[in-house]
Amino acid sequence: PDQVEFSEHDLLFHYLVAKSTHNRFAVSLFNGFSQALAQLFDKFFRMMPTMLDVSYRAHEKIYQAVAGGDPEEAMQAMDKHLRKSERALAAYYHKQERAAAKKS
């Protein structure tokens, strides 16, 4: 997917997930952080464009679970998505640190 288009839809997806909780606090929290979240996602996808497809596929699984009314599956899919993203970021920064150390 296109990075700019995906980032816009990604933010909407996260808003809809927050709204689907029927928890006003979750929606309010999302609204308060949405601009910072948009900037974070934009940077994340520019640093690691391969994560666009990974995130898209993960969101599809989360969506299917939510749409199917399976909160356990949605929770597992979200947990997997977060862990995969965390590992990707850690690997990216580790690689950056190694490259900086070689230059020193």
Side-chain angles (χ1 to χ4, degrees), residues 32-45:
F33 287 106
S34 64
Q35 291 302 321
L37 198 56
Q39 291 173 351
L40 176 69
F41 290 157
D42 183 56
K43 184 177 180 180
F44 181 70
F45 293 129

Side-chain angles (χ1 to χ4, degrees), residues 13-50:
F13 175 77
H14 286 90
Y15 168 75
L16 292 173
V17 169
K19 191 171 178 169
S20 75
T21 66
H22 303 288
N23 180 324
R24 289 183 297 172
F25 178 72
V27 174
S28 178
L29 188 63
F30 175 85
N31 287 333
F33 287 106
S34 64
Q35 291 302 321
L37 198 56
Q39 291 173 351
L40 176 69
F41 290 157
D42 183 56
K43 184 177 180 180
F44 181 70
F45 293 129
R46 276 188 284 115
M47 290 182 335
M48 295 180 297
T50 58

Side-chain angles (χ1 to χ4, degrees), residues 9-104:
H9 288 102
D10 190 42
L11 196 60
L12 177 60
F13 175 77
H14 286 90
Y15 168 75
L16 292 173
V17 169
K19 191 171 178 169
S20 75
T21 66
H22 303 288
N23 180 324
R24 289 183 297 172
F25 178 72
V27 174
S28 178
L29 188 63
F30 175 85
N31 287 333
F33 287 106
S34 64
Q35 291 302 321
L37 198 56
Q39 291 173 351
L40 176 69
F41 290 157
D42 183 56
K43 184 177 180 180
F44 181 70
F45 293 129
R46 276 188 284 115
M47 290 182 335
M48 295 180 297
T50 58
M51 290 303 293
L52 285 168
D53 188 56
V54 171
S55 290
Y56 176 81
R57 292 176 192 279
H59 289 174
E60 182 67 26
K61 289 179 182 175
I62 295 164
Y63 169 78
Q64 292 297 332
V66 171
D70 190 342
E72 184 63 34
E73 182 64 30
M75 198 165 58
Q76 288 176 7
M78 188 65 204
D79 184 59
K80 186 176 180 180
H81 175 45
L82 290 174
R83 289 177 190 273
K84 192 175 242 185
S85 297
E86 180 182 32
R87 284 192 305 270
L89 273 173
Y92 174 84
Y93 283 116
H94 184 67
K95 184 178 177 181
Q96 295 299 317
E97 288 172 354
R98 284 194 322 249
K102 284 183 180 181
K103 290 181 181 180
S104 301

